[in-house]
């Protein structure tokens, strides 16, 4: 099996709430663990940015299923590429709500990898998206252990 990484972004519906994010997370963890998919999902500024890692066919089917979810719209595939190893292998899926973290530090992270302080993956390269997500994972782990 060759590992692949898929990165996509989309916009949350205006009525999206905490309950919706929790539901997405719970279903993702269950489905992904069974399918051998790992990754990270960020939500902030009404935008989803997600990385899926695993078998190409499985992550393609997962992305297709996600793209049909009515809680978001305008999904955009940023990258689907073979990889040597997983970056987010410890999580079947981890969701990070950026608004629940220190807003100034999050804004600084976004600004480091993009042109603004709001999350706009459509203005970022796939490499910038990946590096941003790696930084978010580190930031989240530090905040969670404090």
């Amino acid at each position: 099996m060759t590992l692949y990484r898929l990165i996509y972004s989309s916009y949350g519906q205006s009525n999206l709430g905490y309950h919706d994010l929790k539901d997405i997370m719970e279903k993702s963890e269950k489905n992904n663990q069974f399918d051998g998919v790992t990754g990270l999902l960020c939500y902030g500024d009404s935008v989803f940015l997600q990385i899926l890692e695993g078998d190409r066919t499985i992550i393609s089917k997962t992305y297709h299923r996600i793209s049909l979810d009515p809680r978001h719209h305008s999904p955009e595939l940023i990258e689907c590429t073979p990889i040597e190893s997983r970056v987010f292998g410890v999580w079947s899926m981890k969701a990070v709500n950026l608004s629940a973290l220190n807003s100034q530090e999050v804004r600084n992270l976004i600004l480091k990898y993009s042109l603004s302080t709001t999350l706009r993956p459509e203005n970022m390269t796939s490499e910038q998206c990946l590096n941003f997500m790696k930084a978010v994972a580190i930031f989240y782990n530090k905040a969670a252990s404090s």
Side-chain angles (χ1 to χ4, degrees):
M1 172 183 82
T2 301
L3 285 172
Y4 274 77
R5 175 179 48 243
L6 185 146
I7 304 174
Y8 81 91
S9 67
S10 64
Y11 292 90
Q13 295 291 1
S14 59
N15 61 348
L16 192 74
Y18 176 76
H19 174 75
D20 295 305
L21 293 174
K22 188 175 178 192
D23 182 59
I24 290 168
M25 187 63 229
E26 289 171 356
K27 287 180 180 173
S28 295
E29 283 180 329
K30 182 181 176 186
N31 292 336
N32 293 347
Q33 189 171 33
F34 179 79
D35 290 336
V37 174
T38 57
L40 179 63
L41 170 67
C42 275
Y43 181 74
D45 300 317
S46 299
V47 175
F48 287 102
L49 177 60
Q50 185 168 20
I51 295 179
L52 302 170
E53 302 167 324
D55 175 78
R56 184 181 69 197
T57 302
I58 292 173
I59 63 172
S60 292
K61 287 179 182 178
T62 301
Y63 174 70
H64 178 71
R65 184 179 69 246
I66 291 168
S67 70
L68 298 175
D69 190 319
R71 294 174 288 198
H72 70 128
H73 63 90
S74 306
E76 179 183 351
L77 182 62
I78 296 169
E79 175 184 77
C80 187
T81 189
I83 56 175
E84 293 293 320
S85 61
R86 298 173 191 259
V87 173
F88 304 102
V90 296
W91 295 320
S92 57
M93 186 50 59
K94 185 66 184 169
V96 176
N97 184 353
L98 295 178
S99 64
L101 301 174
N102 180 304
S103 61
Q104 188 56 49
E105 290 183 59
V106 168
R107 296 296 168 222
N108 290 343
L109 268 182
I110 294 170
L111 186 59
K112 181 177 179 178
Y113 297 103
S114 70
L115 299 172
S116 72
T117 57
T118 57
L119 184 58
R120 293 292 173 252
E122 69 272 15
N123 296 327
M124 299 164 69
T125 66
S126 59
E127 184 177 355
Q128 288 168 321
C129 289
L130 176 60
N131 289 333
F132 169 73
M133 295 289 268
K134 287 178 183 178
V136 165
I138 291 168
F139 182 73
Y140 174 82
N141 284 333
K142 285 182 184 175
S145 65
S146 296

